Amino acid sequence: MSLAKKALEQGEGILRLTPTWVPRSFCVPGRRIKLHPDDYYALGGNRGGIDERWFASTTSAQNGPLTSKNEGLSHAAFEDGGKTELFLLKDAIDELGAKIIGSRLWDKYKSWPMYSKFFDNMGPLPHHIHPSDEFGALTGQNGKPEAYYFPPQVNNHGGDFPYTFFGIAPGTTKDIILDCLKNFSKGDNKITNYSQAFRLQPGTGWDVPPGMLHAPGSLCTYEPQKASDIFAMYQSLVNEAIIPEELLWNATPKNRWGDYELLVEMIDWDLNVNPNLMDNHYMEPKPVHAVEEMHAAGYHENWICYRSRDYSAKELTVYPGQTVVIKDNAAYGFIMMQGYGKMGVWDIETPALIRFGQLTHDEYFVSEDAAKAGVKITNLSKTDPIVMLKHFGPDNPDLVVL
């Protein structure tokens, strides 16, 4: 029997995942994702600081020629007789398919088509874009919609700039943006002069479709997204740091480098100049069921990412001392944010500090069969709630709030 089969059987349909750390050479870690202070540059200074942790990922990180093997890919752990063996979640899904993610997703995608992450930067990122599938195909990649949620548990401080620029200010012309792009190598191309920023609030979120310019702020962010790592940086100077010009062309085929008009074409113009961005893309939590019924049963669950059909996410809280059975009609990954207890056969706990390479009990993947049958969660604390964030794939049949 394969490792994946043994692990799925051992976990009664739930796989234990290991921490997946990802560096970014253009980022400064915000140091809020519980990695040990000595380990933020564990992959070497030339790789940059670790400011991301990826969840339920079968997507490789696109970090240039220095990218290490399996970077960005989640591993699952199988323990037997005191021995721990690791295998890729991607390999397990390739092998077992519908037994893990369900026939609905397997028949359509033949893969797990999303992942989530913590993005944890001390300062803001450059104004950038994730192209649509149409433009992603130019470099053989998927487009990438994504969503943000700002968990209170990892936002004890807001970093240097807890504001995110979204879109393009109404009245801005394509020629103005074209000039900004052509001035990329001249220092500050001032593209955010033609955008608008919104203050970020823990416990809320945003939806960011492909083709939308955005410059994420410095809150630690939980990001469900489509299975892709495609991006292009359109801003040349951030926090007095110069952005390498090759990142402007990062989503462009080599034979189109220098084609600034193509960069403008990648922008979904109507989406970006919409004067009501907050109405269409801001998200406050919405209860999954009637609040009184949930509280009487010992828990509370909110939709936190619900404006896209490519992914969705929930925040589940189980109150101290309570035991609940939670059913979902789709497979999901989850990350523990607070508390400890049991989930099925597994211990679940929220570590305070993690060494690079250390195994944890804070991340799991729940197969569709296990989700539909219902997972039993017991909060073993008398005072602390269990809080977990759950990330789902496309077309979640339970998602009715948009």
Side-chain angles (χ1 to χ4, degrees), residues 96-123:
L96 301 179
K99 290 183 179 179
I100 297 180
I101 65 173
S103 57
R104 179 181 60 85
L105 292 180
W106 179 252
D107 292 347
K108 183 173 182 178
Y109 298 98
K110 293 292 188 286
S111 65
W112 175 242
M114 69 85 65
Y115 66 105
S116 192
K117 68 166 71 167
F118 281 155
F119 161 74
D120 175 40
N121 204 43
M122 183 63 73

Side-chain angles (χ1 to χ4, degrees), residues 333-351:
F334 75 86
I335 178 67
M336 289 285 292
M337 301 303 302
Q338 189 173 345
Y340 70 96
K342 297 284 291 187
M343 182 173 186
V345 301
W346 292 109
D347 295 324
I348 53 174
E349 61 187 18
T350 310

Side-chain angles (χ1 to χ4, degrees), residues 58-59 101 105 109 111-115 142 225-228 310-311 393-394:
T58 60
T59 302
I101 65 173
L105 292 180
Y109 298 98
S111 65
W112 175 242
M114 69 85 65
Y115 66 105
N142 290 324
Q225 54 205 270
K226 192 171 177 177
S228 175
D310 288 301
Y311 44 74

Side-chain angles (χ1 to χ4, degrees), residues 199-350:
R199 184 179 177 182
L200 304 180
Q201 176 65 39
T204 69
W206 289 79
D207 192 66
V208 186
M212 184 174 180
L213 280 166
H214 56 291
S218 56
L219 286 192
C220 186
T221 306
Y222 169 75
E223 290 188 30
Q225 54 205 270
K226 192 171 177 177
S228 175
D229 194 27
I230 190 172
F231 64 89
M233 299 300 188
Y234 280 25
Q235 184 180 358
S236 59
L237 182 74
V238 181
N239 267 11
E240 303 306 318
I242 292 291
I243 306 303
E245 189 172 0
E246 58 263 27
L247 294 181
L248 174 64
W249 304 106
N250 193 56
T252 307
K254 288 287 181 68
N255 64 351
R256 301 287 296 273
W257 284 30
D259 185 348
Y260 293 96
E261 286 77 10
L262 175 60
L263 299 180
V264 175
E265 287 178 33
M266 288 185 186
I267 301 170
D268 184 328
W269 198 260
D270 290 341
L271 176 71
N272 279 268
V273 299
N274 179 0
N276 301 312
L277 283 176
M278 195 164 187
D279 290 344
N280 296 320
H281 302 290
Y282 175 69
M283 295 182 291
E284 292 195 350
K286 295 181 180 292
V288 171
H289 303 295
V291 171
E292 297 80 7
E293 293 177 9
M294 291 191 291
H295 290 189
Y299 75 99
H300 185 96
E301 190 166 38
N302 285 324
W303 289 106
I304 54 174
C305 298
Y306 48 79
R307 290 189 182 272
S308 174
R309 285 293 179 186
D310 288 301
Y311 44 74
S312 55
K314 296 177 179 179
E315 179 186 63
L316 172 65
T317 300
V318 179
Y319 297 128
Q322 297 294 310
T323 294
V324 301
V325 176
I326 303 295
K327 293 184 179 181
D328 290 279
N329 284 306
Y332 60 92
F334 75 86
I335 178 67
M336 289 285 292
M337 301 303 302
Q338 189 173 345
Y340 70 96
K342 297 284 291 187
M343 182 173 186
V345 301
W346 292 109
D347 295 324
I348 53 174
E349 61 187 18
T350 310

